[in-house]
Amino acid sequence: MNSYLALILGAVLGSSLRYFINLLNYSIAGLPITTILVNISGSALAGLFLNKVNGTNYIFLYIGLFGSFTTLSSFNIDMFNLLSDRLFIKAFIFFLLNIVLSFIVFYLFYLISIKLEN
């Protein structure tokens, strides 16, 4: 039960922090800088604490806080592990599926939603 409470607390804090930062709505040349800042800072924190916490603290930080603050923290951990294990082909496929395929699916479902509106 402690793990579940740690997850909930981390998720509430991470998503709330992301929401408040996104309210700033900074952009430069059309790039959503707040999203980039969130993803970079979340990734930096995930890298900073990698292999330094375990158990309930890991659940609170990585799955709850970082996981709800940024989508890139989990991706970076998995990518780091694949590259550390020298699984370069798997890392490349993992990258393509997460970044390229996820965006293609996102865009296709966007197009579907437009079609459904008409």
Side-chain angles (χ1 to χ4, degrees):
M1 186 59 150
N2 286 340
S3 296
Y4 188 67
L5 293 175
L7 171 68
I8 291 170
L9 180 59
V12 167
L13 290 173
S15 60
S16 296
L17 185 57
R18 182 176 187 132
Y19 173 75
F20 289 121
I21 290 173
N22 280 337
L23 288 177
L24 299 173
N25 200 24
Y26 291 129
S27 66
I28 296 175
L31 287 174
I33 299 303
T34 50
T35 299
I36 293 169
L37 292 174
V38 163
N39 286 330
I40 290 172
S41 63
S43 295
L45 289 170
L48 183 66
F49 290 104
L50 184 63
N51 297 325
K52 299 203 175 31
V53 296
N54 54 35
T56 304
N57 290 332
Y58 179 88
I59 292 169
F60 169 78
L61 276 178
Y62 279 91
I63 299 171
L65 184 68
F66 300 153
S68 64
F69 182 62
T70 174
T71 56
L72 286 179
S73 59
S74 295
F75 169 80
N76 285 336
I77 291 166
D78 291 339
M79 188 71 168
F80 176 82
N81 288 334
L82 288 169
L83 291 172
S84 292
D85 293 340
R86 305 177 71 79
L87 300 171
F88 302 118
I89 294 173
K90 286 186 180 183
F92 181 72
I93 293 167
F94 180 77
F95 175 83
L96 286 178
L97 291 175
N98 273 284
I99 302 301
V100 177
L101 184 60
S102 291
F103 181 75
I104 290 170
V105 169
F106 166 82
Y107 186 68
L108 288 174
F109 274 76
Y110 167 74
L111 293 176
I112 290 169
S113 73
I114 298 231
K115 290 283 187 189
L116 291 174
E117 286 178 355
N118 296 328

